Amino acid sequence: MKKAVLSILILSATINFSAQEKEGSIPEVMVSGKLLEMPLKKVNENITVISKEEIKNSPAKSVEELLAQVTGFDIRRRGGNGVQADISLRGSSFEQVLILVNGIRMNDSQTGHNSMSIPFDLASVEKIEIVKGPAARRFGQNAYAGVVNIITKPSSEENVIISGSGGDFETYSLGIGANFGTKKFSNFLQAGSSSSEGYRYNTDYKISNIFYQNQYQLENGSLKFQAGIQEKKFGANGFYSTPTATEQYEETQASIVSLGLTKKYNKFNLNSNIYWRRGQDLYLFNRAKPDVYRNMHIGNNIGGEISGNYQSTLGTTGIGVELRKEFLASNNLGSRERFVTQVFLEHHFSFFQDKFHLSPGISWANYDTEGQFFYPGLDVGFDFNDNHKIYGNIAKVNRVPTFTDLYYVSKTETGNPNLLPENAISAEIGYRFQQNNFVAKVSGFLRNSNNAIDWTKQNQNDIWRAENIGKIETKGVEIELGQNFNSFLKSYSVGYTYLDSKSLQSTNLISRYVLENLKHQFVAKLENRFFKNLTNQLIYRYNERVTTGSYQILDEKLSYDLKKLNLYVLVNNITTSSYTETFGVPMPKRWFHVGFTYKIGL
């Protein structure tokens, strides 16, 4: 932790040296809520928005690596460049974070291990919206600790963007994207492929994807369509089971199709969609000997939702209904299905000249196999002026076990068909300051879980078992600040999260997920502009886990813009730190990439 503090002091000195330069300003950002769309400065929630410009300049090759740069996230990867990763937020399990693509859920009923199978490249992302804490309740199942909404957007600007990169371990990527059409009917098409021989034995991978999206403008509305598929094939040395299982192999597919309609009728705004999300997962314990042990899972989620909000003298009322059918066919888990009905209701009050905001809400969900669940909650906010805001949230959240939690069986793991759904009371209070180019946030949060679900074992020689481990108390503090400049120092940001998560029932069990959280996390970003077209971004991360100690990572991206051509050098783990993020899987040492993007106007 001493090095982390030293880094803060160095960064502060650099900031003070450059602070006298001419400052820029932060543009207004709109946040796409489940029921309401509001300016970021007005929301009474802990929300982070990652812009397209930030994504472009970041030394990240995948969405997972980008999220690792946001304090509060614990990205537990197995391998590099987005091969396989679990997303944890503020000490949650990977099943407790909901992943959306343009508002459509990517989590499936089999397992959250495959939730980050996104059918497009990072360069295609317009922005990422992150909701932390109890305000995520309105999204339903899996929105236990937070929500990540990955947003793409077709453009009427007609162009073709070609991208490519190469790096260590025979790594390469190639991609092509095209925007075409008119302002009334805009289209976006993207295809990409990446591959590597791996940074150690049996960690090779190949990832392919294709994605299409369009938007047809209506009078006071739009009709939106998206369809995409991603396929991953990768060696999984030690990824699951035990570190000695060096011959594991996996192939996954994830596809999504959705059609949505938004329409405004005077004071009523309508938002609706129908969707189909398919996931396929092939696992081999020994890739050279498939007959030793083989699992095949095919899952389908088919659903639709309709929501709207109405503005009146009493405020804004939002209501929504979602129906979803989940199917799974598996040689291990069996043939499973369940039908889910969810209803959302929320009202936004505003008092004292739009300074005090109150948003009570409730969600109701019915699972035909598990029963009914209620998610009541309350958001409160007070704007002292345009710069200072305090807010608070409290809500009850629930999560129904996945089919893997319930029924999975192997030589090293066994599910539990008697698992109860887990639930928690979650609360947060925070303060946000924003003025022109400067933003600062501080918050304290608490989550008291009951019937918490984890995979545990009594000793190292035992097998992992899915269990309700009782009550878990998670509390912490989060601090973030950042500033933009029009100078040599282009921007900086720092973030720190402290977590204290503990079981309130004494147990000697070894935890696989829930009690393996980060205790201290510090993230610092520094972006400089050299001359007009040359920029450099450094990202420093300090993570200290409660069981395996600490590690530090330094990443860098140097970019040169020449009209339509962008050239870059990207280096991950500059200092060649030795570290693991999950199950003792060693992560890559220093990894160089060089690449380009070229835009062609049509």
Side-chain angles (χ1 to χ4, degrees):
M1 197 63 190
K2 292 181 179 179
K3 293 185 178 180
V5 174
L6 179 61
S7 299
I8 298 175
L9 296 176
I10 295 173
L11 185 59
S12 300
T14 307
I15 293 164
N16 292 331
F17 179 76
S18 304
Q20 302 303 317
E21 297 290 341
K22 183 180 178 181
E23 300 176 353
S25 61
I26 298 174
E28 182 72 290
V29 178
M30 297 298 292
V31 178
S32 308
K34 179 77 174 179
L35 302 176
L36 308 174
E37 183 177 72
M38 300 177 65
L40 180 59
K41 291 180 69 173
K42 291 291 185 180
V43 297
N44 304 309
E45 309 161 14
N46 193 326
I47 290 184
T48 298
V49 178
I50 306 174
S51 69
K52 190 173 186 66
E53 182 70 14
E54 291 174 303
I55 295 170
K56 174 186 173 183
N57 296 330
S58 169
K61 298 288 288 182
S62 66
V63 174
E64 297 95 325
E65 293 179 4
L66 188 69
L67 293 177
Q69 302 165 10
V70 179
T71 189
F73 276 98
D74 180 10
I75 311 302
R76 305 184 69 177
R77 296 175 297 165
R78 305 170 182 85
N81 297 342
V83 171
Q84 208 288 323
D86 294 337
I87 309 297
S88 170
L89 180 58
R90 292 177 169 178
S92 75
S93 75
F94 62 93
E95 300 285 7
Q96 296 171 343
V97 180
L98 177 61
I99 308 299
L100 305 174
V101 168
N102 296 313
I104 304 300
R105 63 171 50 238
M106 294 301 293
N107 302 66
D108 64 34
S109 55
Q110 177 209 339
T111 176
H113 283 311
N114 299 328
S115 297
M116 291 305 299
S117 295
I118 308 300
F120 43 77
D121 295 340
L122 181 61
S124 303
V125 178
E126 181 71 17
K127 64 177 178 178
I128 298 177
E129 296 176 348
I130 300 163
V131 184
K132 300 178 182 179
R137 73 183 187 281
R138 58 178 60 90
F139 292 86
Q141 171 77 347
N142 298 108
Y144 197 94
V147 176
V148 178
N149 189 15
I150 305 164
I151 298 173
T152 61
K153 184 180 179 182
S155 171
S156 60
E157 179 185 354
E158 296 193 327
N159 56 51
V160 172
I161 300 176
I162 301 171
S163 62
S165 69
D168 294 329
F169 315 113
E170 299 182 45
T171 302
Y172 84 88
S173 69
L174 292 172
I176 184 169
N179 287 287
F180 57 95
T182 63
K183 288 186 177 180
K184 188 173 183 64
F185 184 51
S186 54
N187 302 263
F188 173 65
L189 177 64
Q190 187 268 328
S193 179
S194 62
S195 176
S196 175
E197 288 303 305
Y199 61 97
R200 63 190 185 106
Y201 173 71
N202 194 28
T203 57
D204 57 296
Y205 68 82
K206 181 166 182 161
I207 305 174
S208 304
N209 60 69
I210 185 167
F211 181 74
Y212 170 72
Q213 182 183 23
N214 66 38
Q215 179 171 298
Y216 183 77
Q217 294 293 338
L218 305 171
E219 184 179 358
N220 297 322
S222 63
L223 191 64
K224 302 176 182 180
F225 173 80
Q226 65 177 351
I229 183 170
Q230 182 198 72
E231 181 180 66
K232 295 181 183 180
K233 299 179 179 181
F234 54 94
N237 181 353
F239 282 19
Y240 317 105
S241 185
T242 68
T244 59
T246 59
E247 307 301 320
Q248 296 174 97
Y249 174 77
E250 193 165 10
E251 294 182 6
T252 65
Q253 288 182 3
S255 58
I256 183 173
V257 179
S258 72
L259 178 65
L261 170 67
T262 60
K263 185 77 172 174
K264 184 175 183 179
Y265 303 92
N266 295 322
K267 296 183 179 181
F268 181 75
N269 295 313
L270 175 70
N271 183 25
S272 62
N273 63 68
I274 54 175
Y275 62 88
W276 169 38
R277 197 270 185 185
R278 181 184 184 275
Q280 179 174 304
D281 188 348
L282 168 66
Y283 167 80
L284 301 176
F285 185 76
N286 189 321
R287 68 186 300 176
K289 300 176 181 179
D291 55 324
V292 172
Y293 186 86
R294 176 183 182 272
N295 281 336
M296 170 66 86
H297 318 282
I298 299 176
N300 290 277
N301 289 355
I302 300 174
E305 60 180 332
I306 182 169
S307 62
N309 62 76
Y310 179 77
Q311 297 179 355
S312 67
T313 55
L314 296 177
T316 304
T317 303
I319 188 169
V321 177
E322 179 180 6
L323 304 176
R324 183 172 74 253
K325 184 75 172 184
E326 300 177 346
F327 303 88
L328 181 68
S330 166
N331 68 311
N332 187 304
L333 304 172
S335 296
R336 311 289 176 181
E337 62 180 64
R338 57 191 178 198
F339 188 80
V340 186
T341 304
Q342 296 188 105
V343 178
F344 308 89
L345 177 64
E346 184 177 32
H347 187 82
H348 182 81
F349 294 98
S350 180
F351 304 100
F352 307 120
Q353 299 179 327
D354 201 33
K355 289 183 177 294
F356 180 68
H357 306 275
L358 185 69
S359 300
I362 189 169
S363 300
W364 169 81
N366 181 70
Y367 286 74
D368 62 352
T369 52
E370 282 85 7
Q372 303 182 53
F373 305 93
F374 289 89
Y375 311 80
L378 178 67
D379 304 337
V380 180
F382 185 79
D383 298 312
F384 293 96
N385 52 42
D386 289 340
N387 306 127
H388 299 271
K389 183 184 188 71
I390 58 172
Y391 65 89
N393 318 111
I394 186 169
K396 183 177 181 180
V397 293
N398 293 74
R399 184 184 76 85
V400 171
T402 65
F403 293 135
T404 294
D405 292 332
L406 295 168
Y407 305 114
Y408 190 79
V409 177
S410 73
K411 293 181 180 180
T412 56
E413 299 108 348
T414 181
N416 183 354
N418 298 314
L419 282 177
L420 299 173
E422 57 186 350
N423 65 84
I425 298 296
S426 183
E428 178 174 8
I429 186 169
Y431 164 75
R432 182 168 67 237
F433 173 81
Q434 180 171 333
Q435 185 174 33
N436 296 327
N437 64 330
F438 179 78
V439 177
K441 297 192 294 183
V442 59
S443 63
F445 53 88
L446 173 70
R447 185 174 64 246
N448 286 330
S449 297
N450 293 301
N451 296 322
I453 298 173
D454 196 8
W455 291 73
T456 65
K457 58 184 180 180
Q458 294 183 350
N459 55 65
Q460 294 295 342
N461 297 322
D462 195 9
I463 65 173
W464 294 106
R465 305 174 192 273
E467 301 286 352
N468 290 111
I469 61 173
K471 296 184 178 181
I472 302 294
E473 182 183 78
T474 302
K475 55 188 176 182
V477 176
E478 193 168 272
I479 303 169
E480 298 177 82
L481 58 91
Q483 193 168 8
N484 296 331
F485 303 89
N486 288 327
S487 66
F488 166 74
L489 174 58
K490 188 176 179 182
S491 68
Y492 77 89
S493 66
V494 293
Y496 171 73
T497 300
Y498 167 78
L499 269 174
D500 179 21
S501 189
K502 59 185 178 183
S503 173
L504 298 183
Q505 297 174 249
S506 60
T507 175
N508 295 320
L509 297 176
I510 301 172
S511 169
R512 193 174 195 177
Y513 300 116
V514 175
L515 299 178
E516 290 284 298
N517 60 280
L518 296 176
K519 187 177 183 68
H520 296 283
Q521 181 185 42
F522 174 73
V523 181
K525 304 179 186 179
L526 181 65
E527 186 172 7
N528 295 101
R529 179 187 290 113
F530 306 98
F531 311 110
K532 182 179 179 180
N533 300 321
L534 187 65
T535 60
N536 185 73
Q537 185 172 116
L538 282 168
I539 295 185
Y540 167 82
R541 291 182 290 134
Y542 173 90
N543 288 336
E544 181 180 325
R545 199 172 300 282
V546 293
T547 53
T548 56
S550 64
Y551 60 89
Q552 302 174 74
I553 302 295
L554 184 64
D555 299 326
E556 179 181 23
K557 185 177 183 180
L558 183 66
S559 302
Y560 181 73
D561 282 308
L562 183 62
K563 293 183 179 179
K564 299 179 180 180
L565 177 66
N566 173 268
L567 303 172
Y568 67 85
V569 177
L570 190 158
V571 189
N572 295 126
N573 195 3
I574 293 175
T575 57
T576 65
S577 294
S578 298
Y579 69 105
T580 64
E581 293 180 337
T582 185
F583 298 157
V585 178
M587 292 300 295
K589 297 293 183 67
R590 186 185 297 119
W591 198 327
F592 282 91
H593 305 266
V594 294
F596 74 93
T597 59
Y598 184 66
K599 181 184 289 189
I600 306 171
L602 298 179

